[in-house]
Amino acid sequence: MNISSVSSSSSSSNYSAVDNTDQLARLQQQKERLEQQLQEVNQSKEDEKIKQQKVQLLQMKIQQIETQIQQVKEAKSNKCQNSMPVTASANTSSIVDTLV
């Protein structure tokens, strides 16, 4: 007679949702300042080459900020989904005895 056992364990994790509202607000403010600078550059009477370089740089920075905003929103969404309580009990074991 052979007896084999299989045991498995699982643990529950409580994820806490981190509030990223402040980070989002700061990023939004940065974006607004960059957009304001972009308007000022567009309205300036600078040399067109310099103006174009500044516009491209500001647009690139705005795009980076928008990407960061999106990442923070996605992270916040994922953390909210993961914050739901997990119903698995800690260190449960099941033993299966097989008689052959």
Side-chain angles (χ1 to χ4, degrees):
M1 171 171 34
N2 292 332
I3 300 175
S4 62
S5 64
V6 176
S7 65
S8 64
S9 64
S10 63
S11 61
S12 65
S13 298
N14 292 327
Y15 296 100
S16 62
V18 176
D19 186 13
N20 293 329
T21 306
D22 290 339
Q23 187 177 7
L24 283 173
R26 284 192 305 268
L27 289 169
Q28 196 64 36
Q29 287 174 349
Q30 288 178 358
K31 181 183 172 190
E32 289 171 8
R33 282 192 300 267
L34 290 170
E35 288 172 339
Q36 184 178 4
Q37 289 176 7
L38 184 60
Q39 272 186 329
E40 291 170 3
V41 169
N42 280 327
Q43 293 172 355
S44 73
K45 296 179 181 179
E46 290 184 285
D47 177 63
E48 285 301 315
K49 273 189 165 183
I50 294 172
K51 192 172 173 178
Q52 185 179 12
Q53 290 173 344
K54 287 182 179 182
V55 165
Q56 287 176 345
L57 180 62
L58 287 168
Q59 287 175 337
M60 188 173 67
K61 287 181 180 182
I62 291 170
Q63 181 62 42
Q64 289 172 342
I65 297 291
E66 287 173 343
T67 301
Q68 289 176 342
I69 290 170
Q70 187 61 36
Q71 290 171 345
V72 169
K73 285 180 178 179
E74 288 173 5
K76 185 176 180 179
S77 174
N78 289 339
K79 286 178 184 175
C80 286
Q81 289 174 358
N82 290 337
S83 69
M84 297 174 139
V86 179
T87 57
S89 59
N91 296 324
T92 59
S93 302
S94 67
I95 299 174
V96 177
D97 292 327
T98 307
L99 298 174
V100 179

